[in-house]
PDB file of all heavy atoms in Angstrom:
ATOM      1  N   LEU A  33      10.929  -2.929 -10.314  1.00 98.00           N
ATOM      2  CA  LEU A  33      11.406  -1.883 -11.239  1.00 98.00           C
ATOM      3  C   LEU A  33      12.755  -2.243 -11.857  1.00 98.00           C
ATOM      4  O   LEU A  33      13.170  -1.638 -12.842  1.00 98.00           O
ATOM      5  CB  LEU A  33      11.521  -0.541 -10.485  1.00 98.00           C
ATOM      6  CG  LEU A  33      10.225  -0.010  -9.862  1.00 98.00           C
ATOM      7  CD1 LEU A  33      10.517   1.176  -8.953  1.00 98.00           C
ATOM      8  CD2 LEU A  33       9.244   0.399 -10.966  1.00 98.00           C
ATOM      9  N   LEU A  34      13.443  -3.233 -11.252  1.00 98.00           N
ATOM     10  CA  LEU A  34      14.782  -3.597 -11.722  1.00 98.00           C
ATOM     11  C   LEU A  34      14.749  -4.469 -12.973  1.00 98.00           C
ATOM     12  O   LEU A  34      15.774  -4.653 -13.623  1.00 98.00           O
ATOM     13  CB  LEU A  34      15.533  -4.354 -10.610  1.00 98.00           C
ATOM     14  CG  LEU A  34      15.968  -3.521  -9.391  1.00 98.00           C
ATOM     15  CD1 LEU A  34      16.326  -4.431  -8.222  1.00 98.00           C
ATOM     16  CD2 LEU A  34      17.147  -2.616  -9.749  1.00 98.00           C
ATOM     17  N   SER A  35      13.570  -5.027 -13.285  1.00 98.00           N
ATOM     18  CA  SER A  35      13.520  -5.991 -14.388  1.00 98.00           C
ATOM     19  C   SER A  35      12.340  -5.742 -15.326  1.00 98.00           C
ATOM     20  O   SER A  35      11.292  -5.266 -14.893  1.00 98.00           O
ATOM     21  CB  SER A  35      13.414  -7.411 -13.803  1.00 98.00           C
ATOM     22  OG  SER A  35      13.181  -8.338 -14.821  1.00 98.00           O
ATOM     23  N   GLU A  36      12.512  -6.114 -16.576  1.00 97.00           N
ATOM     24  CA  GLU A  36      11.410  -6.034 -17.549  1.00 97.00           C
ATOM     25  C   GLU A  36      10.444  -7.190 -17.358  1.00 97.00           C
ATOM     26  O   GLU A  36       9.312  -7.154 -17.813  1.00 97.00           O
ATOM     27  CB  GLU A  36      11.972  -6.175 -18.969  1.00 97.00           C
ATOM     28  CG  GLU A  36      12.703  -4.989 -19.451  1.00 97.00           C
ATOM     29  CD  GLU A  36      12.975  -5.104 -20.941  1.00 97.00           C
ATOM     30  OE1 GLU A  36      12.799  -6.199 -21.506  1.00 97.00           O
ATOM     31  OE2 GLU A  36      13.361  -4.085 -21.529  1.00 97.00           O
ATOM     32  N   GLU A  37      10.911  -8.237 -16.691  1.00 98.00           N
ATOM     33  CA  GLU A  37      10.087  -9.449 -16.575  1.00 98.00           C
ATOM     34  C   GLU A  37       9.248  -9.399 -15.295  1.00 98.00           C
ATOM     35  O   GLU A  37       9.587  -8.682 -14.353  1.00 98.00           O
ATOM     36  CB  GLU A  37      10.999 -10.680 -16.581  1.00 98.00           C
ATOM     37  CG  GLU A  37      11.694 -10.867 -17.902  1.00 98.00           C
ATOM     38  CD  GLU A  37      12.600 -12.097 -17.924  1.00 98.00           C
ATOM     39  OE1 GLU A  37      12.395 -13.018 -17.109  1.00 98.00           O
ATOM     40  OE2 GLU A  37      13.520 -12.114 -18.753  1.00 98.00           O
ATOM     41  N   PRO A  38       8.173 -10.202 -15.208  1.00 98.00           N
ATOM     42  CA  PRO A  38       7.252 -10.127 -14.069  1.00 98.00           C
ATOM     43  C   PRO A  38       7.871 -10.599 -12.743  1.00 98.00           C
ATOM     44  O   PRO A  38       8.689 -11.521 -12.720  1.00 98.00           O
ATOM     45  CB  PRO A  38       6.112 -11.070 -14.448  1.00 98.00           C
ATOM     46  CG  PRO A  38       6.267 -11.356 -15.886  1.00 98.00           C
ATOM     47  CD  PRO A  38       7.699 -11.130 -16.244  1.00 98.00           C
ATOM     48  N   LEU A  39       7.459  -9.945 -11.673  1.00 98.00           N
ATOM     49  CA  LEU A  39       7.823 -10.377 -10.316  1.00 98.00           C
ATOM     50  C   LEU A  39       6.518 -10.631  -9.557  1.00 98.00           C
ATOM     51  O   LEU A  39       5.640  -9.771  -9.531  1.00 98.00           O
ATOM     52  CB  LEU A  39       8.642  -9.288  -9.601  1.00 98.00           C
ATOM     53  CG  LEU A  39       8.978  -9.558  -8.127  1.00 98.00           C
ATOM     54  CD1 LEU A  39       9.863 -10.800  -7.970  1.00 98.00           C
ATOM     55  CD2 LEU A  39       9.680  -8.343  -7.497  1.00 98.00           C
ATOM     56  N   THR A  40       6.406 -11.812  -8.964  1.00 98.00           N
ATOM     57  CA  THR A  40       5.188 -12.161  -8.230  1.00 98.00           C
ATOM     58  C   THR A  40       5.539 -12.439  -6.777  1.00 98.00           C
ATOM     59  O   THR A  40       6.479 -13.181  -6.487  1.00 98.00           O
ATOM     60  CB  THR A  40       4.523 -13.412  -8.861  1.00 98.00           C
ATOM     61  OG1 THR A  40       4.224 -13.101 -10.221  1.00 98.00           O
ATOM     62  CG2 THR A  40       3.243 -13.791  -8.137  1.00 98.00           C
ATOM     63  N   LEU A  41       4.784 -11.816  -5.868  1.00 98.00           N
ATOM     64  CA  LEU A  41       5.011 -12.035  -4.440  1.00 98.00           C
ATOM     65  C   LEU A  41       3.839 -12.811  -3.867  1.00 98.00           C
ATOM     66  O   LEU A  41       2.675 -12.477  -4.130  1.00 98.00           O
ATOM     67  CB  LEU A  41       5.140 -10.693  -3.713  1.00 98.00           C
ATOM     68  CG  LEU A  41       6.266  -9.782  -4.205  1.00 98.00           C
ATOM     69  CD1 LEU A  41       6.219  -8.440  -3.483  1.00 98.00           C
ATOM     70  CD2 LEU A  41       7.630 -10.450  -4.003  1.00 98.00           C
ATOM     71  N   THR A  42       4.121 -13.834  -3.070  1.00 98.00           N
ATOM     72  CA  THR A  42       3.060 -14.565  -2.379  1.00 98.00           C
ATOM     73  C   THR A  42       3.182 -14.275  -0.880  1.00 98.00           C
ATOM     74  O   THR A  42       4.192 -13.732  -0.430  1.00 98.00           O
ATOM     75  CB  THR A  42       3.159 -16.088  -2.625  1.00 98.00           C
ATOM     76  OG1 THR A  42       4.429 -16.542  -2.111  1.00 98.00           O
ATOM     77  CG2 THR A  42       3.107 -16.418  -4.114  1.00 98.00           C
ATOM     78  N   ASN A  43       2.146 -14.617  -0.124  1.00 98.00           N
ATOM     79  CA  ASN A  43       2.107 -14.354   1.330  1.00 98.00           C
ATOM     80  C   ASN A  43       2.195 -12.851   1.635  1.00 98.00           C
ATOM     81  O   ASN A  43       2.745 -12.432   2.636  1.00 98.00           O
ATOM     82  CB  ASN A  43       3.254 -15.096   2.047  1.00 98.00           C
ATOM     83  CG  ASN A  43       3.059 -15.151   3.554  1.00 98.00           C
ATOM     84  OD1 ASN A  43       1.921 -15.277   4.024  1.00 98.00           O
ATOM     85  ND2 ASN A  43       4.122 -15.029   4.314  1.00 98.00           N
ATOM     86  N   ALA A  44       1.624 -12.033   0.743  1.00 98.00           N
ATOM     87  CA  ALA A  44       1.643 -10.579   0.962  1.00 98.00           C
ATOM     88  C   ALA A  44       0.579 -10.208   2.002  1.00 98.00           C
ATOM     89  O   ALA A  44      -0.499 -10.799   2.027  1.00 98.00           O
ATOM     90  CB  ALA A  44       1.359  -9.865  -0.349  1.00 98.00           C
ATOM     91  N   PRO A  45       0.879  -9.240   2.854  1.00 97.00           N
ATOM     92  CA  PRO A  45      -0.126  -8.806   3.833  1.00 97.00           C
ATOM     93  C   PRO A  45      -1.142  -7.859   3.188  1.00 97.00           C
ATOM     94  O   PRO A  45      -0.813  -7.164   2.231  1.00 97.00           O
ATOM     95  CB  PRO A  45       0.725  -8.058   4.867  1.00 97.00           C
ATOM     96  CG  PRO A  45       1.888  -7.543   4.098  1.00 97.00           C
ATOM     97  CD  PRO A  45       2.145  -8.514   2.986  1.00 97.00           C
TER      98      PRO A  45
END
Side-chain angles (χ1 to χ4, degrees):
L33 300 170
L34 289 164
S35 172
E36 287 191 347
E37 294 180 22
L39 175 63
T40 301
L41 301 175
T42 61
N43 195 36

